[in-house]
Amino acid sequence: MFLSAFDIFKIGIGPSSSHTMGPMVAAGRFLAGLRGGAERIPGAGELARLACHLHGSLAFTGKGHATDRAVILGLMGFLPATLDPDRAEAMEAEVRRTGRITPPGLPELAFDPARDLVFDYGPPLPGHANGLVLRAFDAAGNPYLTQTYYSIGGGFVATPEELAAAGGDAPPAACPHPFRTAAEMLAMGRASGQSIAAMKRANETAVGGPGLDARLDALWQAMDACVDRGLRQDGILPGGLNVRRRARAIHAQLLAEAGRNLAQPHVVNDWLSVYAMAVNEENAAGGRVVTAPTNGAAGVVPAVLRYYRDHCVGANDAGRRDFLLVAAAIGGIIKHNASISGAEVGCQGEVGSAAAMAAAGLCAALGGTNEQVENAAEIALEHHLGMTCDPAAGLVQVPCIERNGLGAVKAVSAASLALRGDGRHFLPLDNCIEVMRQTGRDMGVKYKETSTGGIAVNLPEC
């Protein structure tokens, strides 16, 4: 099994990797099929119109997650990594005004979002809670091409055929340490005498070629820039809940206290929280973030990395790169054996996975052994088990922004506990991941990113 660090960490836009980035990527893939020779349905005339149906969680919380905007922009040929968020609103408005769209490499086509972009609140599609069906028609309304996609979390997209084949995925032949589980990872580490970071580095270099450090540095720079933007911004987040940005004001208070010997010992938790909240406020505003492993959990890893750089003794660039490599290794194991999708397993799969990744990364950067790193990930994940995904109004704001702050605090605590031990512990990480998978399978649908239960339906009366 090989998932690159650059699959787990992807630069994109908010507010959701599964509900914004995934549908945009799916739309792009559909356009590629139309341009690249996907065989039209027999009897169809010339291509004239596009349509999209959203199912499951994409329908229930799609408006709060800007899924409709993502589909429109994706059908215009834009991708999450390169889209300018400041231009998105005007481009979307033009399509809604004209009912026409001109994808790159295709003729102008009819696409009226009021008619052609359908939120289907019926049963979800069978493959995943996040499903969408993209369709093309000729001028007479005859089907030209139809394709189903599933947005499976973290910006990953799969067709039904790809989803069915995913369980049997084979690692690239060049991958020297093809671990699928934490147990295999530890065994390969013992056999090779290498750290988890070194094994992940070898895998990335074998598959992706030279220049790994530069690409890791670019990821960190994108994360760090997002923290900084979030600490500078103020005002009300979009969406109608009237949630105020708080990161800037909290950060100002922390800076004012820094040289006055007035801070309580637990003030470090406030620093962790404000870094994470800054990222997730940016995400909620539709800004540029890095999936880590999702947008909804995008604040945890950058917050703990910023904590490592600014607050930890001995922090350096090598440790930061090891942090990212180890975090990606843990994220890949979780995704392969369970899920990172809130619509599939609840927020334990998003913030829980992010906390496990950050705990493992910090433990490694601070000199932890492979066994301590695995223990750190397990502690962090174990104490997120059962966490629901129940965003108010379908927006990635309440409880998501604060939840990232607490996930970062838990990650640091987990790493610290693991470093105080020798790596021996009762529940292996693999077993904990399986518990998360089973818990997510048994969790009621209303607690899995549909906004039909939990916090989403217990808001104050205004």
Side-chain angles (χ1 to χ4, degrees):
M1 189 274 295
F2 177 76
L3 272 175
S4 172
F6 307 98
D7 292 323
I8 295 294
F9 300 121
K10 294 189 286 290
I11 299 173
I13 59 167
S16 171
S17 49
S18 60
H19 287 56
T20 312
M21 290 174 58
M24 192 180 295
V25 170
R29 288 187 59 179
F30 189 67
L31 293 182
L34 291 172
R35 287 191 298 262
E39 198 166 326
R40 73 175 74 177
I41 295 171
E46 292 303 309
L47 179 63
R49 181 169 69 91
L50 301 177
C52 177
H53 282 230
L54 303 171
H55 297 266
S57 179
L58 293 184
F60 281 100
T61 63
K63 291 182 179 178
H65 287 74
T67 305
D68 47 352
R69 180 181 70 173
V71 171
I72 292 168
L73 296 173
L75 291 176
M76 294 177 72
F78 294 101
L79 292 173
T82 54
L83 175 69
D84 180 356
D86 294 332
R87 296 180 56 212
E89 186 175 348
M91 293 184 291
E92 176 193 359
E94 180 67 11
V95 173
R96 291 188 185 275
R97 184 183 67 81
T98 64
R100 309 292 295 178
I101 200 163
T102 307
L106 293 169
E108 183 181 81
L109 302 170
F111 180 71
D112 181 0
R115 173 196 65 190
D116 297 322
L117 187 50
V118 178
F119 291 79
D120 189 325
Y121 299 108
L125 299 179
H128 192 277
N130 294 329
L132 66 159
V133 181
L134 286 154
R135 294 182 172 90
F137 302 90
D138 67 13
N142 299 309
Y144 182 99
L145 182 67
T146 298
Q147 182 62 63
T148 297
Y149 297 96
Y150 294 110
S151 181
I152 57 177
F156 292 92
V157 170
T159 65
E161 296 76 20
E162 290 165 348
L163 202 62
D169 58 335
C175 190
H177 307 287
F179 47 82
R180 296 170 182 261
T181 66
E184 290 179 357
M185 178 180 71
L186 293 176
M188 290 179 188
R190 287 190 291 269
S192 66
Q194 295 189 59
S195 69
I196 295 168
M199 290 191 294
K200 182 64 172 169
R201 175 175 288 277
N203 287 346
E204 293 286 347
T205 302
V207 176
L212 177 61
D213 283 349
R215 286 180 288 153
L216 290 172
D217 291 347
L219 275 179
W220 163 240
Q221 288 161 10
M223 291 180 178
D224 196 37
C226 187
V227 174
D228 285 339
R229 283 197 310 274
L231 294 176
R232 290 194 303 266
Q233 302 302 316
D234 210 344
I236 303 296
L237 292 170
L241 286 181
N242 294 318
V243 172
R244 292 181 299 107
R245 287 182 182 252
R246 290 180 290 162
R248 179 178 174 178
I250 295 171
H251 186 236
Q253 292 173 22
L254 290 171
L255 289 175
E257 294 170 3
R260 297 168 57 192
N261 294 322
L262 296 176
Q264 298 289 351
H266 55 258
V267 72
V268 69
N269 292 338
D270 297 338
W271 283 102
L272 281 162
S273 294
V274 80
Y275 296 149
M277 291 170 64
V279 171
N280 284 86
E281 287 175 356
E282 278 296 292
N283 179 63
R288 189 167 304 285
V289 298
V290 178
T291 63
T294 67
N295 281 31
V300 178
V301 167
V304 178
L305 254 177
R306 182 78 166 243
Y307 165 79
Y308 169 73
R309 187 194 72 182
D310 291 355
H311 300 265
C312 290
V313 176
N316 55 43
D317 289 344
R320 173 174 48 75
R321 293 170 187 140
D322 283 352
F323 184 120
L324 286 170
L325 289 168
V326 170
I330 297 300
I333 290 171
I334 294 172
K335 185 182 184 303
H336 180 71
N337 294 293
S339 176
I340 57 172
S341 167
E344 191 172 17
V345 297
C347 198
Q348 59 176 352
E350 296 206 28
V351 170
S353 296
M357 293 163 58
L362 180 62
C363 185
L366 294 178
T369 66
N370 289 354
E371 288 74 19
Q372 288 172 322
V373 166
E374 185 263 359
N375 187 16
E378 184 278 326
I379 294 170
L381 183 60
E382 180 181 0
H383 297 289
H384 284 88
L385 291 175
M387 182 174 282
T388 58
C389 183
D390 49 356
L395 300 168
V396 193
Q397 297 179 17
V398 178
C400 318
I401 294 170
E402 287 181 353
R403 187 169 285 176
N404 274 258
L406 273 292
V409 171
K410 285 187 182 181
V412 172
S413 297
S416 184
L417 281 173
L419 286 166
R420 295 289 184 184
D422 60 5
R424 290 179 293 181
H425 57 107
F426 183 76
L427 183 68
L429 175 59
D430 289 328
N431 298 61
C432 190
I433 293 170
E434 175 60 15
V435 173
M436 185 183 79
R437 188 192 69 81
Q438 293 177 9
T439 303
R441 178 195 62 197
D442 297 338
M443 189 182 289
V445 171
K446 66 181 181 179
Y447 297 115
K448 294 193 285 190
E449 210 166 356
T450 58
S451 288
T452 57
I455 289 174
V457 299
N458 287 280
L459 298 175
E461 297 295 333
C462 297

